[in-house]
Amino acid sequence: MSSLAQSIFTMPDLPEVGPKDFERAARILHKRAGIVLGEHKREMAERVLATRARAMKLEEVRLYLDYLEQNPQSGQWEVFVNTFTINHTAFFREQHHFDILAKFAQSRKKPFSVWCCASSTGEEPYSIAMTLRESRAVPDTEVSILATDIDTRAAAAAYEGVYSDERAKAVPEAYLHKYFYRGIGRRTGMVCVKPILRNMIDFDVVNLLSPDWPTEQKFDAIFCRNTMIYFDRATQTKLLERFASVIKPGGLLFVGHSENFTYLTKAFRLQGQTVYVAT
């Protein structure tokens, strides 16, 4: 076999994964981002850790974890956390939430503000923006939307606002025409969010466990859907109390269909259909 063929088909061995590396990685991930790394993900996680160690030319995963703990400001943390985040989202997912949001916005004082705190690749905040533009008289001057995510790759994709036609199928045709450009040439089969929609949203990267959130404003509504299922109960309770501190009286908290926080806090009461109201 030629040297070129060998370089293509021969992969170097992965660094050694020690017996306690998974548990240690799970601890530091939980401490940094609140994410619980379950035992069922051990095999996947160990391979990911070994791959990251090899990328840094380290012979053992232990040394990679040493580096993370000894360098809390390193850019490697961004890669580490991004690796274990899940970005499953869609336009107008759980449509009843957007119906509730539209009616709620019409009843609130101006201006109206929303925080989408797990915005992933952008489908959710853009769905919020379309809903509010269609439900208010002068939306550009009355509405502000903050869209944040811990995953830097997802946040960058959200800001770009480019999606396949398949991803955009859930968007009503009238909204597609009004709020998206259709791709041509090499962009055929894609759509891109128009500035009229993107300019309604401020995008940022935020770790919900950070002691300081990058905003002092109060919100009429907070979307935190299908996110806290990855946190333990203590972290969920802490976040609910923090959400209560940045939401306006009577504001709404939208959560995922499998999330129930009725017994974790008195700051919110269940209004119905996975929507909570600030007490």
Side-chain angles (χ1 to χ4, degrees):
M1 183 182 292
S2 69
S3 59
L4 176 59
Q6 286 179 332
S7 67
I8 294 174
F9 293 106
T10 303
M11 293 290 290
D13 292 336
L14 288 173
E16 178 184 347
V17 181
K20 299 295 184 180
D21 287 340
F22 171 77
E23 289 79 5
R24 184 181 173 194
R27 283 196 306 272
I28 66 176
L29 179 65
H30 180 266
K31 182 178 180 181
R32 183 81 172 201
I35 298 170
V36 176
L37 195 58
E39 179 66 29
H40 65 289
K41 294 185 178 179
R42 175 183 287 269
E43 184 177 346
M44 176 276 290
E46 288 182 342
R47 183 162 187 85
V48 166
L49 293 168
T51 300
R52 292 306 313 151
R54 181 174 64 188
M56 294 183 65
K57 297 181 169 53
L58 299 173
E59 295 181 356
E60 300 176 45
V61 167
R62 171 183 63 83
L63 299 176
Y64 171 60
L65 298 176
D66 286 347
Y67 177 86
L68 289 176
E69 292 194 302
Q70 293 165 12
N71 297 274
Q73 304 304 318
S74 170
Q76 286 297 325
W77 273 105
E78 179 181 305
V79 179
F80 175 71
V81 173
N82 285 356
T83 298
F84 294 105
T85 55
I86 298 172
N87 295 305
H88 180 64
T89 186
F91 284 104
F92 295 101
R93 187 181 184 189
E94 298 183 57
Q95 176 63 50
H96 66 279
H97 280 171
F98 299 98
D99 296 337
I100 292 169
L101 177 67
K103 292 179 181 178
F104 180 66
Q106 293 170 350
S107 70
R108 298 289 282 186
K109 293 181 180 180
K110 307 169 186 177
F112 187 83
S113 58
V114 182
W115 181 16
C116 177
C117 66
S119 58
S120 188
T121 47
E123 289 90 336
E124 184 169 290
Y126 288 127
S127 297
I128 293 170
M130 284 184 276
T131 298
L132 295 178
R133 280 195 64 85
E134 296 297 317
S135 67
R136 296 183 70 84
V138 193
D140 293 277
T141 59
E142 296 178 358
V143 172
S144 65
I145 301 169
L146 175 63
T148 67
D149 201 276
I150 193 173
D151 189 328
T152 56
R153 300 165 304 177
Y159 178 78
E160 184 180 11
V162 176
Y163 304 95
S164 67
D165 285 345
E166 183 67 26
R167 294 291 295 171
K169 272 187 176 180
V171 180
E173 187 62 34
Y175 288 9
L176 277 174
H177 178 75
K178 189 173 183 179
Y179 297 119
F180 293 82
Y181 296 115
R182 289 198 178 274
I184 59 174
R186 64 184 183 86
R187 291 279 194 174
T188 298
M190 308 290 287
V191 297
C192 179
V193 172
K194 291 182 178 180
I196 194 174
L197 203 63
R198 185 188 287 107
N199 292 344
M200 294 176 64
I201 306 172
D202 290 322
F203 293 94
D204 204 350
V205 176
V206 171
N207 180 349
L208 290 177
L209 266 62
S210 172
D212 298 308
W213 287 341
T215 179
E216 295 181 355
Q217 75 177 112
K218 299 276 188 175
F219 299 94
D220 292 275
I222 297 175
F223 277 68
C224 187
R225 307 194 302 174
N226 306 301
T227 299
M228 289 203 284
I229 53 174
Y230 301 106
F231 301 152
D232 59 27
R233 181 163 292 194
T235 303
Q236 291 174 348
T237 302
K238 179 181 177 180
L239 280 176
L240 288 168
E241 296 300 324
R242 292 188 72 189
F243 285 147
S245 72
V246 296
I247 199 166
K248 297 176 186 177
L252 297 184
L253 172 64
F254 295 85
V255 303
H257 68 277
S258 62
E259 297 171 317
N260 188 326
F261 308 120
T262 303
Y263 303 106
L264 294 184
T265 179
K266 295 182 179 179
F268 294 93
R269 61 175 173 80
L270 185 63
Q271 179 172 286
Q273 295 184 291
T274 58
V275 179
Y276 291 78
V277 60
T279 56

